Amino acid sequence: MGADGVVGGGGYRAPLLGRSVELARCDALLDRAAGDARGTTRGAEFRDGGRSRLVDITGEAGIGKSRLLGEVCAGARRRGMLVLRGRATEYERQVPFQVFTDALAHVDPHVLDGFQETDAVATLLQRGSALDRFGLHRSTAVLLARLAASSGLLLALDDLHWADSASLELLDHLVRHPLHAPVVLAVTRRDRQSPESLAARLTRGVDAGSVVRLGLRPLSARDCAELAGPDLPSTETAALYSASEGNPFYFLTLLQAHRGGVTPESSAPPGLGTLLLDELSVLAPSRRGIVEAVAVLGEHATPAMVSRVTGRSGTAFTDDVHALTRRDLLRSTPQGLLTLRHPVVRTLVHESTPFLRRVEIHRLAAQELARGGASAAERAHHVEQSLTSWDPEAVAVLDEAAARTARTAPRSCAHWLEVALRHLPDTPEHAARRGKLVLRRARALAACGGLRESRDLLQELIVTPQRSPGGPAADADQDLRVRAVVLCALAERHLGRSTEAVALLRRELARGPAPAHVVRLGLELGSAAPQDSDTSYAQVRTEVEAALAAARSMGDEVGEAGVLAVAALGEAYEGNMAAAHRFARQAAALVDSLPDNDLTALCEPLARLGWAEAFLEHYPDAERHAMRGLDIARRSGQLYVVPHLLLCLSHVRVQTCRISSALELADQAEDIARGIGSDQLLAFVLASKAAALVAACPPGDPRPLAVAEEAVAAAGTGFNWWASTAWCIFGWANLMAGDPVRAREAMFQAGGPELQRIQPSLRPLYLEILVTSALVTGKFEEARGWAERARKEAEQLGLPMQRASALRSAAHLPLAQGDTAAAADLFAEAAAESARCGALFWEAHSLLLGAPLEAAAGRGRGGTHAWLRGRRLAEAGGSGMLVGLADVTRPPGGGSEALYGSPGRAELAERLATLTVRELEIAELVAQGLTSQAIADRLYVSRRTVETHVSRAFRKTGVSSRTALATLMARRRAGSRFGDTRAEQD
């Protein structure tokens, strides 16, 4: 952590001038956070739910960003808040999470006692390596909330324009998911040097209200005159001000030189670089060497390390450091490091240090770190900077560092591998190692948004000639080539180039590969086909069958299970349900018999199996296999598969009406999709999130449509499975937003004039959107045509939920003609069909649509019963859409009394008295509308613990939904207020 002041010589700290407005805005945020921590915040400041805010302090070098941040830190400490401060550094940009590890370096270890997610954040605490970088992001948020609990927290991150990519990704998560905790994040950065992704994310945060931007301007002439003091003539002050253009660091450096008697040869004041070099030129060689060592060592510039690399020790070293500190060239940080007084000084010293001198300092630092037992990841930076030629030991360190950072910081992993490849001799004896390193680097790049670079590397690897025509070396070459082809096809898919992926795989199959490679290529080909607008699964069925035969011929049960899973999804997608059922049963039987270790290579086929079972409406099986795949994928670091498994689970939970959980899963998938950088995957993820939001949000909420719009924007002009799905969900969101015309247009965009591009096995469900849109716009015959098509296709599929959708489409027709009895019967039949497969969301939807029609047809008792069940399902599942529908369709005599009974005050008190203190606390948070994850974050427990307490509260109070529990808590509060009023009156 560097020093934070703008100073002149001799350690003089200049007063903070010209920043009163910026300080006032920061003080307001600190007051709010401190008030939240004490529970004293009131009024408008509390309406945002106590979410964290980020202060973005921007400006040019030397403008005073760090000094302002220092004042903010001091203000937070005065309020009793915990302050954690870290600084990103210019020459350590490949060290993963450097700015966060710097900030967390002095967290009291006892604070972590009992913290269940310590392992997940081990990388930030420098206690090991985490397995999942997105799990690390979520766990870091929980950790920060825990640290903020007692007194509030200020997390201050300086010079963020130099931050490594892993740190920026973590910050991105914290901006997109503000904490429900008394936390203020404050960052400083230079506008022009900030990575585009960082600037864009913070700008979006400004638009969303979660980020406050403070752009620092130059000081005024009056401020600079006050800095100079009354003893300097005004004409000289004006000249210095003009030369510095109001930049406080430059002004004070000029002022120091002026007072030191520096007289420039020309009339113009010297530049900042010249002044600083002049300051260094008067140093004795031993002291200049210490300054250079500190500049080069950066975060490893401990006094002991500086002493070792400079060869100075004992009293002589102590005297030199003391003299340099007195001259304010060196400072010490709270972590015990030596640092130069400003990053600009470090840059100048670093660049002016002779190259070979820098190399030697890094070499000695790497040696000392190794001697002290530092990990390869800690040594890699110094090893890289000291590497000037082929050095097997040094490259081995880079190789190990890449392996350690592959899961949490893939950009750093790719960088270390690139350095290793650059120094690896391009000779036949190293060819095999080179190929493996290239493949690993391509995989790392694909994981962190470098899909095109990854694809290009793999294409080069694919065309590399084999070393020999036969033997083990040739077998190894072919295995490497096939792995590269499969990974390249995957990258092409994520780039929206499924046609190219299919062609690449077919070309490799035409080369006559070994049976094991036929299985691997067939698996990827079967996975790519549904996403290709030009290639249906039917067109690759032959290759998939060949892959299945190859797996069986080798007795490869793992490969066989994978191919069966891919075949099940391909057939289910196309609507060939008999074949899909058969393949899914066979795949499930094999998968269930295999141990987790054998399934490590089957994570993506497990996702395919889960999706196939979801489309077959076997929801418990789909959830079981997706959960198992998710656990294996996370443990084995197969990041690219995780979104598919999360989305499968999210889809199942929407159908089975567990909406809050579905939304949380889609949020996790979105984090990963944005990290991977695939627009196609992001389109699919956002479409799934929009579907969950449509179900979750009450009518009129703008969020579902906004997310659906982003989904189709990400899909672009492609016509594949993911793009078609995005447009279908966009149509649904528009219909629910009251725009049937736009909904209809979206469905034709999704499927074309004849809707052939829409997934056949879900087409009846999506046709319901067209039926409803046509009727709302007065196109009865068009609606009849779509409803008839939905009926025929649903009968062919033989799936209860799809048949239920067709029945709802049919019900709208007699309803439009005034035949309420016929419509009611069809809605009731649709509810029964949905219940057959456990599609509770659609059961509730059908019941609530039919309930008022039952009453209108003279069957009021049946209508009330249908409405009550529909309402219970809606509330238990957390569906704001269905609860809103229930409110609209409430039958005469319906209401909360019918749902829950109407307990009197004594009975209410008796029910709530059975709750423990923790259960009552969680019930209050449920009543505030918080999800289980949000409650877990606030109370620093696991989500499972929260859900266990909620279940116990349900059982003890006799309710079956969060809404019902919230109603009880509201009546409790109302009763308390009534009792207080009566007491006052008495």
Side-chain angles (χ1 to χ4, degrees), residues 698-861:
D701 193 306
R703 289 177 293 167
L705 187 55
V707 174
E709 285 176 335
E710 189 179 356
V712 296
T717 58
F719 294 113
N720 53 37
W721 175 22
W722 293 350
S724 175
T725 299
W727 280 103
C728 286
I729 301 302
F730 182 60
W732 189 26
N734 273 288
L735 183 65
M736 298 309 299
D739 192 343
V741 174
R742 203 176 181 202
R744 182 177 182 274
E745 292 172 351
M747 298 310 296
F748 287 125
Q749 180 70 31
E754 298 300 321
L755 306 185
Q756 292 303 317
R757 290 197 300 266
I758 292 179
Q759 181 177 340
S761 53
L762 289 182
R763 202 177 285 145
L765 179 65
Y766 291 138
L767 282 168
E768 189 178 353
I769 298 171
L770 279 174
V771 171
T772 308
S773 298
L775 286 172
V776 172
T777 54
K779 300 175 182 177
F780 184 83
E781 290 305 318
E782 180 180 318
R784 186 196 299 277
W786 293 126
E788 177 61 17
R789 180 172 173 182
R791 182 191 67 78
K792 291 179 179 178
E793 295 200 21
E795 291 301 327
Q796 289 176 353
L797 293 170
L799 299 173
M801 199 262 280
Q802 295 303 315
R803 186 165 185 271
S805 182
L807 287 165
R808 285 194 303 274
S809 291
H812 287 298
L813 301 176
L815 179 59
Q817 295 177 319
D819 189 347
T820 55
D825 290 342
L826 289 167
F827 281 126
E829 193 177 349
E833 285 288 333
S834 300
R836 279 180 54 204
C837 63
L840 299 183
F841 179 85
W842 298 109
E843 180 188 356
H845 191 225
S846 304
L847 288 169
L848 293 172
L849 287 173
L853 306 182
E854 295 279 356
R859 304 192 292 250
R861 190 178 185 84

Side-chain angles (χ1 to χ4, degrees), residues 1-6 13 65-67 69-70 73 77 85-90 92 98-99 102-103 156-159 162 188 294 298-299 301 328-344 346:
M1 183 190 302
D4 58 21
V6 175
R13 176 174 293 277
K65 303 182 297 298
S66 296
R67 179 67 199 281
L69 188 62
C73 291
R77 291 189 186 96
R85 186 171 184 182
R87 181 189 291 277
T89 49
E90 182 175 8
E92 290 80 20
Q98 182 264 328
V99 68
D102 190 19
L157 306 177
D158 215 349
D159 288 334
W162 286 325
T188 70
V294 170
E299 63 175 3
D328 198 36
L329 270 171
L330 289 189
R331 295 177 181 175
S332 60
T333 73
Q335 287 92 334
L337 299 178
L338 295 175
T339 184
L340 296 167
R341 74 167 179 259
H342 194 280
V344 171
R346 185 191 180 193

